[in-house]
């Protein structure tokens, strides 16, 4: 018996030895988690492990998604899904083996699906009905904190389940192989998820393009590049007075509602959100030429106006407060990069074009238009793309020469003042 056991361990060691260097290489190179897991499962099957289904759940550091799940089957390969953050947990999560493991602090859970399946786990009944014979799950935490875990807010780590349809189930050697490889798999996943986490957080807080630049190594104070781009200043009208009238949570909800529309329209046309400025935001369009930038900026403006108008009608119907908006656009050379102190930097834009955009934004009340843009933007747009109307030439503070301002005329009122709506809301 000892010789047979030794032979089994030699086989285990040989299989593990073949996979460990490959897993380490994948982790060091930070290739995609989906590719790693798909190939890992395929390699296990090639080595004789009767794996039929594999599932992995991992926490996500993302404002919208609380976690990500990967599902592999022998017939369909790998797929993934994001789990949106919810105030109330899903019933399927509350009745899952993973939830019980986190709640009870279990590192391993195993079920023989050929016998009676615990009724509290509908997933196991489903897997059994599909021909599965054995299910076991493993947890792996990436922290050394032994404090009790809240299953609805788990710490960093991974949860995995391994299912087979083999009549004999997994062999002891198969389970031992998987468990011996599990820490290496976790280390590779931690390496990849850390980079993804950094990317998600940087893009969320700095913007898509600045976040990518910082992650690629552009974080030295003073480092910058000169680019030609369209700069936009979006602002909500009358928000200061609303801030004194509305309760805090209602004010934040309203601000997020309008920002959500403005951000979606900007990003849909290739623009970047550089920063939020109280009840406004600074945006940039840098698509390769002033012509492309200007076309994208005006297309985004039209979409923004249309969607805010529709949302204001919905908010009125729901008895919610509404407000109006302004947007100023200008184009020119800007310095784009890191500015600040040694231990606190901001990736932003500076230069005369940025200052002039701010001066143009101060003209909304004088010209009575939501959208105004400079002649630099106007000249970059083909004459038949929009019905552009001159608002006149103005001397702006700090600008040596007069600048002509424009808006877009739309007979259906897409670009127009929302004073009638504001009056209705006041009543």
């Amino acid at each position: 018996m000892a010789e047979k056991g030794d032979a089994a361990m030699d086989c285990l060691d040989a299989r593990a030895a073949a996979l460990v260097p490959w897993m380490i290489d994948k982790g060091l190179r930070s290739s995609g988690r989906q590719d790693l897991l798909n190939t890992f499962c395929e390699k296990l099957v090639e080595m004789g492990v009767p794996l039929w289904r594999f599932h992995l759940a991992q926490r996500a550091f993302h404002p919208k998604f609380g976690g990500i799940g990967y599902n592999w089957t022998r017939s369909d390969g790998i797929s993934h899904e994001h789990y949106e953050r919810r105030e109330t947990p899903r019933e399927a999560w509350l009745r899952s083996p993973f939830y019980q493991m986190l709640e009870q602090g279990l590192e391993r859970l195993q079920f023989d699906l050929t016998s009676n399946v615990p009724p509290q786990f509908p997933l196991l009944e489903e897997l059994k009905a599909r021909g599965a014979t054995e299910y076991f799950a493993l947890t792996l935490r990436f922290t050394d904190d032994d404090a009790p875990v809240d299953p609805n807010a788990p710490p960093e780590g991974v949860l995995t389940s391994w299912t087979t349809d083999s009549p004999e189930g997994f062999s002891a050697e198969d389970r031992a192989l998987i468990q011996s490889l599990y820490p290496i798999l976790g280390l590779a996943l931690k390496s990849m998820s850390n980079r993804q986490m950094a990317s998600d957080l940087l893009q969320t807080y700095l913007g898509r393009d600045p976040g990518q630049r910082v992650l690629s190594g552009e974080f030295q104070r003073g480092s910058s590049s000169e680019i030609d781009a369209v700069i936009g200043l979006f602002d909500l009208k009358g928000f200061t007075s609303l801030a004194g009238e509305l309760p805090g949570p209602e004010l934040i909800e309203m601000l997020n509602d309008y920002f959500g529309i403005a951000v979606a329209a900007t990003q849909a046309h290739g623009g970047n959100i550089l920063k939020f400025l109280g009840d406004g935001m600074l945006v940039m369009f840098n698509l390769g030429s002033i012509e492309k930038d200007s076309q994208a900026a005006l297309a985004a403006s039209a979409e923004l106006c249309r969607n805010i108008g529709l949302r204001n009608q919905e908010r009125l119907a729901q008895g919610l407060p509404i407000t109006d908006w302004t947007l100023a656009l200008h184009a020119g050379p800007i310095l784009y990069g890191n500015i600040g102190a040694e231990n606190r930097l901001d990736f932003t834009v500076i230069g005369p074009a940025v200052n002039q955009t701010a001066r143009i934004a101060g003209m909304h009340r004088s010209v009575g238009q939501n959208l105004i843009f400079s002649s630099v933007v106007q000249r970059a747009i083909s004459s038949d793309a929009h019905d552009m109307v001159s608002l006149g030439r103005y001397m702006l503070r700090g600008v040596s020469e007069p600048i002509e301002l424009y808006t877009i005329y739309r007979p259906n009122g897409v670009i127009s003042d929302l004073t009638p709506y504001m009056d209705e809301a006041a009543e």
Side-chain angles (χ1 to χ4, degrees), residues 69-298:
Y70 294 92
N71 201 61
W72 178 93
T73 62
R74 200 164 53 225
S75 58
D76 299 327
I78 194 86
S79 62
H80 77 277
E81 62 177 323
H82 287 91
Y83 307 124
E84 289 196 17
R85 297 185 182 277
R86 294 164 58 101
E87 293 185 7
T88 304
R90 296 180 179 85
E91 183 66 21
W93 168 242
L94 296 175
R95 301 185 65 186
S96 69
F98 284 172
Y99 188 91
Q100 184 184 85
M101 294 176 75
L102 291 172
E103 188 176 45
Q104 299 181 8
L106 304 176
E107 295 183 357
R108 188 174 185 275
L109 201 59
Q110 181 180 349
F111 295 99
D112 179 359
L113 302 185
T114 61
S115 59
N116 292 331
V117 175
Q120 68 265 34
F121 300 128
L123 171 64
L124 300 186
E125 289 283 2
E126 177 188 337
L127 294 176
K128 180 178 180 178
R130 293 168 59 188
T133 58
E134 183 182 338
Y135 170 101
F136 79 95
L138 301 170
T139 65
L140 183 64
R141 293 175 65 168
F142 293 166
T143 64
D144 57 3
D145 184 5
D146 294 327
V149 172
D150 178 0
N152 296 314
E156 289 185 74
V158 291
L159 295 153
T160 59
S161 67
W162 317 74
T163 310
T164 183
D165 58 355
S166 170
E168 296 80 21
F170 290 112
S171 68
E173 290 78 14
D174 292 334
R175 292 189 211 100
L177 172 66
I178 290 172
Q179 288 185 264
S180 70
L181 294 172
Y182 196 43
I184 309 300
L185 178 65
L187 192 59
L189 289 168
K190 182 178 181 180
S191 172
M192 295 176 184
S193 60
N194 282 349
R195 184 170 180 83
Q196 185 64 53
M197 176 180 67
S199 176
D200 288 343
L201 291 177
L202 284 172
Q203 291 187 48
T204 297
Y205 281 92
L206 297 183
R208 293 185 301 188
D209 185 66
Q212 291 173 357
R213 287 172 180 261
V214 170
L215 191 62
S216 66
E218 292 187 39
F219 42 71
Q220 183 178 353
R221 183 170 65 147
S223 64
S224 64
S225 57
E226 184 171 305
I227 62 174
D228 287 321
V230 168
I231 294 296
L233 275 171
F234 171 84
D235 192 50
L236 294 174
K237 293 172 64 176
F239 200 81
T240 302
S241 60
L242 284 171
E245 301 169 3
L246 297 177
E250 196 171 327
L251 185 72
I252 294 298
E253 182 278 329
M254 180 183 184
L255 193 62
N256 286 337
D257 198 358
Y258 286 111
F259 274 158
I261 295 171
V263 169
T266 301
Q267 293 183 339
H269 294 276
N272 282 285
I273 313 301
L274 296 179
K275 63 181 60 191
F276 292 99
L277 307 163
D279 58 353
M281 65 183 194
L282 177 67
V283 305
M284 178 183 73
F285 292 85
N286 178 30
L287 281 70
S289 70
I290 291 296
E291 290 75 19
K292 291 180 180 179
D293 300 340
S294 300
Q295 291 165 8
L298 287 191

Side-chain angles (χ1 to χ4, degrees), residues 42-70:
E42 290 175 348
K43 286 182 178 291
L44 287 180
V45 172
E46 291 172 3
M47 291 178 171
V49 178
L51 185 63
W52 171 66
R53 176 186 179 270
F54 166 82
H55 181 74
L56 179 142
Q58 189 172 4
R59 179 180 176 183
F61 285 81
H62 192 278
K64 184 177 180 181
F65 306 112
I68 185 170
Y70 294 92

Side-chain angles (χ1 to χ4, degrees), residues 231-235 277 280-283 326-330 354-359 361 364 370:
I231 294 296
L233 275 171
F234 171 84
D235 192 50
L277 307 163
M281 65 183 194
L282 177 67
V283 305
T326 61
L327 178 61
L329 300 170
H330 184 48
V354 181
N355 297 335
Q356 289 180 28
T357 306
R359 301 290 183 266
H364 285 289
N370 293 65

